[in-house]
Amino acid sequence: ILILSVNSFAMGMMPPSHMEMIDPTKVDQTPPFDNPGLRQVGDNEYELVMTAFIFGYAPNEIEIPAGAKVTFKVTSKDVVHGFAIPGTNVNMMITPGYISTLTHTFSDPGEYLILCNEYCGIGHQVMATRIVVKGKEGEKS
């Protein structure tokens, strides 16, 4: 244990310092999770605030324009959930009491499925939502 501790300290292996926490029993009363959804924060830049709960996500379906840079801020109300978008680099573990953050740019129009990839109970297989990325004419491909 002493050798591991010394190695960790010497090699700079520390826990994340910008970790955001929230009371998981008060997610629905704590901003910005009291009003989950998509907010524009810049020129084609968005923040998507989401909550994960037993067998669902809020909001349920999201539409964004193609080329949008989206910063996901996600937390859980109850148990550990997964948050993965197949075909992208978006893959997070959503733990009650912690705010997980990740940024991704959606270059191509289409539908992107958000899946829970962490077993969360008997209805785990139905836990999904989707992002619809609209093209320039407002159509998805």
Side-chain angles (χ1 to χ4, degrees), residues 3-32:
I3 291 172
L4 288 174
S5 299
V6 169
N7 270 347
S8 293
F9 181 75
M11 299 178 96
M13 296 177 191
M14 302 289 182
S17 60
H18 299 293
M19 187 177 299
E20 293 182 75
M21 298 181 70
I22 187 173
D23 182 348
T25 63
K26 297 180 180 174
V27 169
D28 292 329
Q29 296 88 33
T30 307

Short mmCIF file of all heavy atoms in Angstrom, two decimals, residues 3-32:
data_model
loop_
_atom_site.label_atom_id
_atom_site.label_comp_id
_atom_site.label_asym_id
_atom_site.label_seq_id
_atom_site.Cartn_x
_atom_site.Cartn_y
_atom_site.Cartn_z
N ILE A 3 3.90 1.58 -1.25
CA ILE A 3 4.51 1.73 -2.57
C ILE A 3 3.48 2.31 -3.55
O ILE A 3 3.80 3.21 -4.33
CB ILE A 3 5.08 0.39 -3.08
CG1 ILE A 3 6.28 0.00 -2.23
CG2 ILE A 3 5.46 0.48 -4.55
CD1 ILE A 3 6.82 -1.38 -2.50
N LEU A 4 2.24 1.82 -3.52
CA LEU A 4 1.19 2.34 -4.40
C LEU A 4 0.93 3.81 -4.10
O LEU A 4 0.74 4.62 -5.01
CB LEU A 4 -0.10 1.53 -4.25
CG LEU A 4 -0.08 0.14 -4.85
CD1 LEU A 4 -1.35 -0.61 -4.51
CD2 LEU A 4 0.11 0.20 -6.34
N SER A 5 0.88 4.17 -2.83
CA SER A 5 0.64 5.56 -2.45
C SER A 5 1.75 6.47 -2.95
O SER A 5 1.49 7.55 -3.49
CB SER A 5 0.50 5.68 -0.93
OG SER A 5 -0.58 4.92 -0.47
N VAL A 6 2.99 6.06 -2.75
CA VAL A 6 4.13 6.86 -3.20
C VAL A 6 4.11 6.99 -4.73
O VAL A 6 4.31 8.07 -5.27
CB VAL A 6 5.46 6.26 -2.71
CG1 VAL A 6 6.65 6.92 -3.38
CG2 VAL A 6 5.56 6.37 -1.20
N ASN A 7 3.86 5.88 -5.44
CA ASN A 7 3.78 5.93 -6.90
C ASN A 7 2.68 6.86 -7.37
O ASN A 7 2.87 7.64 -8.29
CB ASN A 7 3.56 4.54 -7.48
CG ASN A 7 4.85 3.82 -7.79
OD1 ASN A 7 5.91 4.43 -7.79
ND2 ASN A 7 4.75 2.54 -8.04
N SER A 8 1.52 6.78 -6.77
CA SER A 8 0.40 7.63 -7.16
C SER A 8 0.73 9.10 -6.95
O SER A 8 0.47 9.94 -7.80
CB SER A 8 -0.85 7.27 -6.37
OG SER A 8 -1.29 5.99 -6.72
N PHE A 9 1.32 9.41 -5.82
CA PHE A 9 1.68 10.80 -5.52
C PHE A 9 2.78 11.29 -6.47
O PHE A 9 2.70 12.37 -7.04
CB PHE A 9 2.12 10.94 -4.07
CG PHE A 9 2.49 12.35 -3.70
CD1 PHE A 9 1.49 13.29 -3.51
CD2 PHE A 9 3.81 12.73 -3.58
CE1 PHE A 9 1.81 14.60 -3.19
CE2 PHE A 9 4.15 14.03 -3.27
CZ PHE A 9 3.14 14.98 -3.07
N ALA A 10 3.81 10.48 -6.66
CA ALA A 10 4.95 10.87 -7.48
C ALA A 10 4.56 11.00 -8.95
O ALA A 10 5.09 11.85 -9.66
CB ALA A 10 6.07 9.85 -7.33
N MET A 11 3.63 10.19 -9.41
CA MET A 11 3.24 10.22 -10.82
C MET A 11 2.07 11.16 -11.07
O MET A 11 1.58 11.25 -12.19
CB MET A 11 2.92 8.81 -11.29
CG MET A 11 4.11 7.86 -11.17
SD MET A 11 3.69 6.21 -11.67
CE MET A 11 4.24 6.28 -13.36
N GLY A 12 1.59 11.83 -10.05
CA GLY A 12 0.53 12.81 -10.21
C GLY A 12 -0.84 12.21 -10.45
O GLY A 12 -1.69 12.82 -11.07
N MET A 13 -1.07 11.00 -10.00
CA MET A 13 -2.36 10.35 -10.17
C MET A 13 -3.28 10.76 -9.02
O MET A 13 -3.20 10.21 -7.93
CB MET A 13 -2.20 8.84 -10.23
CG MET A 13 -1.42 8.38 -11.40
SD MET A 13 -1.20 6.60 -11.35
CE MET A 13 0.00 6.40 -12.62
N MET A 14 -4.12 11.73 -9.29
CA MET A 14 -5.01 12.25 -8.27
C MET A 14 -6.46 12.12 -8.76
O MET A 14 -6.72 12.07 -9.95
CB MET A 14 -4.71 13.73 -8.02
CG MET A 14 -3.31 14.01 -7.60
SD MET A 14 -3.06 13.41 -5.93
CE MET A 14 -1.40 13.90 -5.65
N PRO A 15 -7.42 12.09 -7.83
CA PRO A 15 -8.81 12.09 -8.25
C PRO A 15 -9.16 13.40 -8.95
O PRO A 15 -8.48 14.40 -8.75
CB PRO A 15 -9.59 11.93 -6.94
CG PRO A 15 -8.63 12.13 -5.85
CD PRO A 15 -7.26 12.05 -6.40
N PRO A 16 -10.22 13.42 -9.76
CA PRO A 16 -10.60 14.65 -10.46
C PRO A 16 -10.84 15.78 -9.47
O PRO A 16 -11.48 15.59 -8.45
CB PRO A 16 -11.90 14.27 -11.18
CG PRO A 16 -11.96 12.79 -11.17
CD PRO A 16 -11.11 12.31 -10.04
N SER A 17 -10.34 16.97 -9.80
CA SER A 17 -10.48 18.09 -8.86
C SER A 17 -11.69 18.96 -9.14
O SER A 17 -12.09 19.74 -8.30
CB SER A 17 -9.22 18.95 -8.90
OG SER A 17 -9.03 19.46 -10.20
N HIS A 18 -12.26 18.85 -10.34
CA HIS A 18 -13.42 19.68 -10.68
C HIS A 18 -14.71 18.87 -10.63
O HIS A 18 -15.61 19.07 -11.42
CB HIS A 18 -13.23 20.29 -12.07
CG HIS A 18 -12.03 21.18 -12.15
ND1 HIS A 18 -11.95 22.36 -11.48
CD2 HIS A 18 -10.86 21.04 -12.81
CE1 HIS A 18 -10.79 22.92 -11.72
NE2 HIS A 18 -10.11 22.13 -12.52
N MET A 19 -14.79 17.96 -9.68
CA MET A 19 -15.95 17.10 -9.56
C MET A 19 -17.13 17.90 -8.99
O MET A 19 -17.00 18.56 -7.97
CB MET A 19 -15.63 15.92 -8.65
CG MET A 19 -16.73 14.89 -8.60
SD MET A 19 -16.28 13.46 -7.59
CE MET A 19 -14.85 12.86 -8.45
N GLU A 20 -18.26 17.84 -9.67
CA GLU A 20 -19.47 18.50 -9.20
C GLU A 20 -20.36 17.46 -8.54
O GLU A 20 -20.51 16.36 -9.06
CB GLU A 20 -20.22 19.15 -10.36
CG GLU A 20 -19.50 20.30 -11.00
CD GLU A 20 -20.33 20.92 -12.10
OE1 GLU A 20 -21.30 21.63 -11.78
OE2 GLU A 20 -20.02 20.65 -13.27
N MET A 21 -20.95 17.83 -7.42
CA MET A 21 -21.82 16.91 -6.69
C MET A 21 -23.18 17.56 -6.47
O MET A 21 -23.32 18.78 -6.50
CB MET A 21 -21.18 16.52 -5.36
CG MET A 21 -19.86 15.80 -5.54
SD MET A 21 -19.10 15.31 -4.00
CE MET A 21 -20.21 14.03 -3.49
N ILE A 22 -24.17 16.71 -6.24
CA ILE A 22 -25.55 17.14 -6.03
C ILE A 22 -26.20 16.13 -5.08
O ILE A 22 -25.81 14.97 -5.05
CB ILE A 22 -26.29 17.22 -7.38
CG1 ILE A 22 -27.67 17.83 -7.23
CG2 ILE A 22 -26.36 15.88 -8.05
CD1 ILE A 22 -28.36 18.09 -8.57
N ASP A 23 -27.19 16.58 -4.31
CA ASP A 23 -27.95 15.67 -3.45
C ASP A 23 -28.90 14.86 -4.33
O ASP A 23 -29.83 15.43 -4.90
CB ASP A 23 -28.73 16.46 -2.40
CG ASP A 23 -29.49 15.58 -1.42
OD1 ASP A 23 -29.62 14.36 -1.67
OD2 ASP A 23 -29.97 16.11 -0.41
N PRO A 24 -28.70 13.54 -4.47
CA PRO A 24 -29.54 12.76 -5.39
C PRO A 24 -31.01 12.71 -4.98
O PRO A 24 -31.87 12.46 -5.82
CB PRO A 24 -28.91 11.37 -5.37
CG PRO A 24 -28.10 11.31 -4.14
CD PRO A 24 -27.69 12.71 -3.81
N THR A 25 -31.32 13.00 -3.73
CA THR A 25 -32.73 13.00 -3.30
C THR A 25 -33.42 14.31 -3.65
O THR A 25 -34.64 14.41 -3.53
CB THR A 25 -32.85 12.77 -1.78
OG1 THR A 25 -32.19 13.85 -1.09
CG2 THR A 25 -32.21 11.45 -1.38
N LYS A 26 -32.65 15.32 -4.09
CA LYS A 26 -33.23 16.62 -4.42
C LYS A 26 -32.91 17.05 -5.85
O LYS A 26 -32.87 18.25 -6.16
CB LYS A 26 -32.71 17.68 -3.44
CG LYS A 26 -33.13 17.41 -2.02
CD LYS A 26 -32.62 18.47 -1.09
CE LYS A 26 -33.08 18.12 0.33
NZ LYS A 26 -32.51 19.03 1.31
N VAL A 27 -32.72 16.10 -6.74
CA VAL A 27 -32.39 16.41 -8.14
C VAL A 27 -33.48 17.28 -8.77
O VAL A 27 -33.18 18.27 -9.44
CB VAL A 27 -32.18 15.12 -8.96
CG1 VAL A 27 -32.10 15.41 -10.45
CG2 VAL A 27 -30.92 14.41 -8.50
N ASP A 28 -34.74 16.94 -8.55
CA ASP A 28 -35.84 17.68 -9.16
C ASP A 28 -36.00 19.10 -8.63
O ASP A 28 -36.70 19.91 -9.24
CB ASP A 28 -37.16 16.92 -8.98
CG ASP A 28 -37.18 15.62 -9.77
OD1 ASP A 28 -36.56 15.58 -10.84
OD2 ASP A 28 -37.83 14.66 -9.33
N GLN A 29 -35.37 19.42 -7.51
CA GLN A 29 -35.46 20.76 -6.94
C GLN A 29 -34.18 21.57 -7.13
O GLN A 29 -34.12 22.74 -6.75
CB GLN A 29 -35.76 20.71 -5.43
CG GLN A 29 -37.11 20.10 -5.08
CD GLN A 29 -37.05 18.59 -4.92
OE1 GLN A 29 -36.05 18.06 -4.48
NE2 GLN A 29 -38.12 17.91 -5.31
N THR A 30 -33.13 20.96 -7.70
CA THR A 30 -31.82 21.61 -7.81
C THR A 30 -31.56 22.07 -9.24
O THR A 30 -31.54 21.26 -10.15
CB THR A 30 -30.71 20.64 -7.36
OG1 THR A 30 -31.02 20.13 -6.07
CG2 THR A 30 -29.36 21.32 -7.33
N PRO A 31 -31.34 23.39 -9.45
CA PRO A 31 -31.00 23.87 -10.79
C PRO A 31 -29.67 23.31 -11.24
O PRO A 31 -28.79 23.12 -10.41
CB PRO A 31 -30.90 25.40 -10.62
CG PRO A 31 -31.63 25.70 -9.35
CD PRO A 31 -31.50 24.48 -8.49
N PRO A 32 -29.44 23.04 -12.49
CA PRO A 32 -30.36 23.16 -13.61
C PRO A 32 -31.21 21.91 -13.84
O PRO A 32 -31.98 21.84 -14.78
CB PRO A 32 -29.42 23.37 -14.80
CG PRO A 32 -28.21 22.55 -14.44
CD PRO A 32 -28.08 22.68 -12.92
#
